[in-house]
């Protein structure tokens, strides 16, 4: 999967990576069984491209919490899929996400 891919759904998996949000070509989110569990954001450090994994929900300062970074969108999505329970648990301790306060996403 490349960084410009559209919505990606694998019918064999309970999770889906959704393409870039309308306001940014470098942001994706992962939904698992209809719940948003986290965000992926492409960023650069020097000549290197990374895909940061962030929590769904915000800390006391109103910021999403960085969890990990991977070298590809596929790697970041795989990380999130492998850590669904941890991400959901962590999100429960955070404040609402301003983009989607209820954390719901309809699987299409």
């Amino acid at each position: 999967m490349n960084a410009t891919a559209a919505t990606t759904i694998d019918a064999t998996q309970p999770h889906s990576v959704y393409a870039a949000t309308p306001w940014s070509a470098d942001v994706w989110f992962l939904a698992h069984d209809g719940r948003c569990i986290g965000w992926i954001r492409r960023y650069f450090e020097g000549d290197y491209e990374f895909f940061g994994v962030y929590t769904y929900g915000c800390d006391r300062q109103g910021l999403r919490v960085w969890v990990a970074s991977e070298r590809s969108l596929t790697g970041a999505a795989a990380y999130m899929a492998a850590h669904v329970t941890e991400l959901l648990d962590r999100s429960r301790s955070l404040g609402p996400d301003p983009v989607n306060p209820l954390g719901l996403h309809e699987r299409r």
Side-chain angles (χ1 to χ4, degrees):
M1 168 176 15
N2 66 39
T4 59
T7 301
T8 303
I9 296 178
D10 179 348
T12 66
Q13 298 294 326
H15 57 269
S16 303
V17 174
Y18 289 87
T21 59
W23 63 90
S24 174
D26 293 328
V27 177
W28 296 262
F29 68 90
L30 186 103
H32 177 83
D33 287 337
R35 294 225 26 101
C36 298
I37 65 162
W39 296 90
I40 299 170
R41 183 180 68 87
R42 178 173 39 193
Y43 67 96
F44 295 89
E45 285 189 9
D47 295 335
Y48 298 100
E49 178 181 53
F50 293 97
F51 293 82
V53 174
Y54 295 83
T55 58
Y56 170 80
C58 297
D59 63 14
R60 290 182 179 158
Q61 297 174 337
L63 302 172
R64 292 184 185 98
V65 180
W66 173 83
V67 177
S69 291
E70 297 289 334
R71 294 298 307 262
S72 68
L73 178 58
T74 302
Y79 176 91
M80 293 176 81
H83 295 89
V84 168
T85 302
E86 293 168 43
L87 287 166
L88 287 172
D89 287 346
R90 194 166 197 178
S91 292
R92 282 187 198 99
S93 68
L94 297 170
D97 194 293
V99 175
N100 182 351
L102 297 178
L104 302 176
H105 187 75
E106 178 184 349
R107 186 173 176 139
R108 297 168 195 224

